[in-house]
Amino acid sequence: MTEEPLLSVRDLKKHYPIKKGLFNRQVGAAKAVDGISFDIGRGETLGLVGESGCGKSTAATSIIRLEEPTSGEVIFNGRDRSKGSTNADGVHSNDITNFSDRELKAFRRDAQMIFQDPSSSFDPRVKVGSSVAEMLQVHGMSDRRRRRKIVENLLERVGLSASDYDRYPHEFSGGQKQRIALARALVLNPDLIVADEPVSALDVSIQAEILTLIKDLQAEFDLSLLFISHDMSVIKKVCDRVAVMYLGEIVEIGPTDRVFADPQHPYTEALLSAIPTPDPRSTAKGIELKGTVPSPTDPPSGCRFHTRCHRVIQPEGLDIDQSNWRGLLTLRDRLVAGAIDVESMRENLGVAEDSDGTGIRSQLRTEFDLEDQLSDAKAETALKNALDRVVDGDSEGAGEVLTSEFTTPCEETVPDRTRHADDHESACLLHDREGVVTPAAADD
């Protein structure tokens, strides 16, 4: 990005304390957002995409200070700290996280938010026109007639009627309410709009109309947009660049067309594989993410995606089928966590049918996608040893066997951000070994 960005987010964190005990002492923290950085240019749309629970919405509310960030900088309409725009205390003059109440109120004129559920964002007892006009009144416009004229004009611009000013929220459909939410976001003529899943609560047919409207209004008002979604197909339609978020971190960021054509992180690849294809003859299947879903209260070491990654790196000296490698690591993690109930398995199989534990061994291999005989003799020996211990009731010992024999560099090393062409960056250890991530072949 060559021009000075409208918004610069630097190492933003939002941690929620976890407190327990009689004295309500903090014993940990849920790391909802854990050090994200990106820029948004003037007139640009940046998409922030990821699964539910990855921290997208928390990032949005922290950026515009509906929630207080734990740490980091959010520079709005000002130069980067590295260019020297700081005061005597080293605090950036345009850092939203340090704004006073008065400065924050002024900032609200320039940055607005659209929420996911339009129905819950309006007071059912207040006419929609008054809800939109309230923004003008709060920011000093006392002339009621002028406020009404501005709002009526905006309602028409978003595809409604000026007469809708005097109607109540329950009289509108979900799509119409989202149009009103757009009018409310635009009424102060902001420079930046943060749209948090603005179409996910709408029918598919209505989604297309709202997305087209957003693009048209962005061009008309020269808006910058932070567009949050879990749907990659929506991101592709409206965003100039996309940032892929996983467990509080951005794992890939770049121009939308480049990321979609050449994903450089396995998580991005999996998200893209889930986009439905319009070709009825296609038999390609999406990438199924197996493994252990981590918690933001206790994120895994190294690369946070390694507990689910379909490309997790094998250690030196081991060369087995990748699905078997994923299964071994998942089995190891489940055993260590004490998440395998052997007694229930034995009851389901029946003592007579599984007196020697053969059924349990077979069931575990099937459940974790492990072949009857691994191609690597050493790996097969370690697996058999672990399964024998499981059958004997020593799941803890089985976990120790697999832990001592099977480790991946992905859980030991935090990947650095690698820069690719056209400001395309990703954080994956595969780049250190291969230079690029070659897309996996789709299953036929």
Side-chain angles (χ1 to χ4, degrees):
M1 186 179 298
T2 56
E3 296 182 2
E4 179 183 294
L6 176 70
L7 183 77
S8 293
V9 177
R10 295 288 177 265
D11 198 28
L12 183 69
K13 297 181 180 181
K14 177 59 181 178
H15 297 176
Y16 295 98
I18 300 173
K19 298 181 179 181
K20 290 183 179 180
L22 181 62
F23 298 101
N24 201 29
R25 291 175 177 170
Q26 184 172 340
V27 296
K31 300 177 180 179
V33 179
D34 201 25
I36 65 171
S37 299
F38 58 82
D39 294 332
I40 300 179
R42 299 175 188 277
E44 180 187 37
T45 300
L46 175 70
L48 190 59
V49 66
E51 296 169 298
S52 297
C54 72
K56 306 184 301 297
S57 295
T58 302
T61 54
S62 299
I63 286 169
I64 63 172
R65 269 189 66 182
L66 292 180
E67 293 189 90
E68 290 297 326
T70 301
S71 64
E73 291 182 326
V74 182
I75 312 301
F76 181 75
N77 204 17
R79 292 180 298 173
D80 190 272
R81 175 186 287 278
S82 62
K83 297 182 180 179
S85 181
T86 58
N87 62 22
D89 297 324
V91 176
H92 200 293
S93 58
N94 284 42
D95 185 358
I96 298 165
T97 64
N98 293 311
F99 278 2
S100 64
D101 290 344
R102 180 178 60 82
E103 291 171 321
L104 197 58
K105 182 178 179 181
F107 166 67
R108 299 280 187 239
R109 291 183 60 92
D110 297 323
Q112 289 291 308
M113 188 163 182
I114 301 172
F115 296 94
Q116 177 177 358
D117 184 3
S119 299
S120 63
S121 61
F122 289 99
D123 188 334
R125 299 165 297 180
V126 178
K127 295 175 182 178
V128 295
S130 298
S131 291
V132 177
E134 182 182 13
M135 307 283 288
L136 295 169
Q137 184 177 6
V138 167
H139 287 273
M141 186 178 290
S142 57
D143 189 332
R144 181 179 299 178
R145 291 183 178 179
R146 186 182 176 194
R147 293 199 305 264
R148 183 178 182 109
K149 185 176 181 180
I150 291 173
V151 173
E152 287 178 342
N153 178 264
L154 268 177
L155 289 174
E156 290 179 340
R157 287 195 180 196
V158 298
L160 298 174
S161 170
S163 61
D164 289 329
Y165 186 105
D166 294 311
R167 297 171 64 191
Y168 288 91
H170 72 270
E171 299 179 66
F172 296 92
S173 67
Q176 289 174 322
K177 277 186 260 192
Q178 201 59 290
R179 290 174 183 269
I180 299 168
L182 273 169
R184 183 171 58 184
L186 292 169
V187 72
L188 295 175
N189 194 25
D191 296 321
L192 172 71
I193 287 182
V194 178
D196 185 10
E197 301 270 13
V199 297
S200 63
L202 306 177
D203 293 338
V204 175
S205 58
I206 306 300
Q207 284 186 10
E209 295 180 9
I210 299 299
L211 292 176
T212 300
L213 177 61
I214 289 174
K215 291 194 70 173
D216 292 344
L217 292 172
Q218 181 185 21
E220 180 179 353
F221 290 92
D222 193 28
L223 295 168
S224 296
L225 216 66
L226 176 59
F227 193 98
I228 296 170
S229 179
H230 65 275
D231 189 335
M232 292 293 278
S233 59
V234 170
I235 291 291
K236 187 176 183 180
K237 291 178 182 178
V238 299
C239 299
D240 303 304
R241 291 189 303 131
V242 57
V244 181
M245 195 167 180
Y246 182 79
L247 202 64
E249 297 180 338
I250 291 178
V251 297
E252 184 164 3
I253 185 169
T256 302
D257 55 354
R258 169 74 63 173
V259 171
F260 273 68
D262 188 23
Q264 293 294 310
H265 194 280
Y267 180 59
T268 308
E269 185 184 20
L271 290 178
L272 290 173
S273 76
I275 299 176
T277 175
D279 186 357
R281 297 167 297 178
S282 175
T283 58
K285 298 178 181 178
I287 297 171
E288 182 181 359
L289 295 181
K290 300 179 180 179
T292 304
V293 179
S295 168
T297 62
D298 185 24
S301 59
C303 172
R304 293 187 176 180
F305 187 54
H306 82 261
T307 62
R308 302 170 68 196
C309 183
H310 57 287
R311 291 179 173 275
V312 61
I313 297 173
Q314 299 182 26
E316 295 293 337
L318 183 64
D319 184 16
I320 60 176
D321 181 81
Q322 188 64 22
S323 64
N324 282 293
W325 176 233
R326 173 72 273 162
L328 280 173
L329 292 179
T330 305
L331 174 60
R332 180 200 67 179
D333 293 343
R334 293 279 299 277
L335 286 169
V336 170
I340 294 180
D341 190 347
V342 180
E343 292 306 316
S344 293
M345 293 173 63
R346 183 170 281 118
E347 288 178 7
N348 291 334
L349 290 168
V351 178
E353 298 179 32
D354 194 44
S355 58
D356 61 352
T358 300
I360 291 177
R361 295 184 184 89
S362 177
Q363 186 170 328
L364 285 173
R365 283 184 183 263
T366 300
E367 180 178 347
F368 292 95
D369 297 321
L370 298 167
E371 296 175 345
D372 294 338
Q373 181 76 32
L374 298 182
S375 58
D376 185 283
K378 185 178 179 181
E380 177 63 26
T381 299
L383 176 59
K384 283 183 176 180
N385 187 3
L387 294 179
D388 287 343
R389 291 183 179 232
V390 171
V391 170
D392 293 339
D394 184 14
S395 293
E396 182 179 349
E400 292 174 356
V401 168
L402 295 184
T403 300
S404 64
E405 291 291 338
F406 303 116
T407 59
T408 169
C410 299
E411 63 189 344
E412 299 169 343
T413 305
V414 177
D416 293 326
R417 186 77 67 87
T418 300
R419 181 177 289 275
H420 312 285
D422 299 332
D423 295 327
H424 184 184
E425 298 180 353
S426 63
C428 181
L429 290 180
L430 285 168
H431 299 302
D432 296 336
R433 299 192 168 210
E434 303 173 8
V436 295
V437 178
T438 303
D443 295 330
D444 292 329

